[in-house]
Structures are given as structure tokens and as C-alpha cells.
Amino acid sequence: MPLTFILPKEYVGFLEKFSELEDKEGKMNYWIMKPAAKSRGRGISLVNEINQVTYGDAMIMQRYIKNPLLIKGYKFDLRIYVLLTSVNPLEAFIYREGFGRFSTQPYTLNPNNKANKYIHLTNVSINKYNLDAMDRNNSDVIFGGSKVSLTTLAKTFADDFKVDWQKVMWP
């Protein structure tokens, strides 16, 4: 998991780490700033200068992953559903057909594109406004917007990365 701080409680520790990394990386010291109490991509921004960090309510500051695994040049994440039926003893069931969410513009760390949420976020509520930007498999239209089924991702992983999805995801 990327280095994470919750502001305002951990502001001093965040500031120390931010400054340390800024000395090493300069303007490439990227962090993602997420309001703790919001969803659907609201209020999220990418920052690389300390004066861009603002908070009133709780804010999550997370080190931005600068070299993510990409599919055809796009960022993605996985949504996998788990039903937890017992904690002690632990009993959980994983639904095998979740979905992947994609950004809708190719990934870049070009500083001129730092504010472009279509590049850096995978939230469907953001990317649904940029639907023409990415070529998607027509069989996944039922999933809507920038989402694809895990079945489609499994095929992509096999074709593009030579990864056996079944062995990796469901050993």
C-alpha cells in the first residue's frame, strides 16, 4: 500500500515526508489528496507542491503510484466483492465476477496534465463524461461507462501479459 497520512492528525509526519521526497524528486513528488468523507471522485486532486495541500475536514494524503500497471496505456483498478459472514472464525466468500474501472485518457506524468482527472482517476462518476476517449469491448456495454467485466480483464491479462488469471486471482 502506498505511503498514507490522514490530515490534520498526521500533518507533521506528512510534511516531513513530503519535504524529504521533494528534496529528492522536486516537482515529480506527486501525492493524491482525497477527502475522507466523499465518494465518486469528488474533491480528489493530484498535488506536488505543499501549498496545494488544503484541508478543513479529514483529508487522506497518499503517495501517488507513478509507475502503475497499465492496460493499453490506461490506469485501472479492480472491484471485487466479498461477503463476510463471520469474523471469528473467519468466513468469507468472494464473488468471481466483479469489474475493472479504467481511466479514459492514456496515463502520463506530464506536469501539464496533473489536473486531468480522466488520466489519473478511474472513478466511473468522473470518466462517464469522457466516454469517446477510450476504445472498449462492445460485450461490456452492459457494465457501462469505463467499466469492464473481470472476464474481459482475464482475457486481456492472458493476451497482453501472458498471465493466467485463474492461477493469480483464484489459486
Side-chain angles (χ1 to χ4, degrees), residues 141-156:
V141 168
I142 59 168
F143 289 89
S146 56
K147 293 191 267 188
V148 298
S149 68
L150 287 186
T151 299
T152 298
L153 276 179
K155 183 177 179 346
T156 301

Side-chain angles (χ1 to χ4, degrees), residues 81-107:
Y81 298 99
V82 177
L83 173 64
L84 184 63
T85 56
S86 176
V87 175
N88 192 6
L90 181 62
E91 183 176 57
F93 298 90
I94 301 173
Y95 182 61
R96 292 180 181 234
E97 191 56 82
F99 58 91
R101 304 183 311 169
F102 282 81
S103 63
T104 53
Q105 289 189 357
Y107 179 73

Side-chain angles (χ1 to χ4, degrees), residues 27-40:
K27 296 292 184 193
M28 296 306 288
N29 180 26
Y30 284 102
W31 293 76
I32 192 159
M33 184 168 63
K34 309 174 195 180
K38 291 189 178 177
S39 60
R40 300 186 313 265

Side-chain angles (χ1 to χ4, degrees), residues 117-136:
K117 293 184 179 194
Y118 298 136
I119 293 171
H120 299 290
L121 301 182
T122 60
N123 302 73
V124 174
S125 56
I126 301 280
N127 282 289
K128 68 183 178 184
Y129 297 107
N130 195 31
L131 294 181
D132 295 331
M134 188 176 133
D135 182 29
R136 283 179 287 282

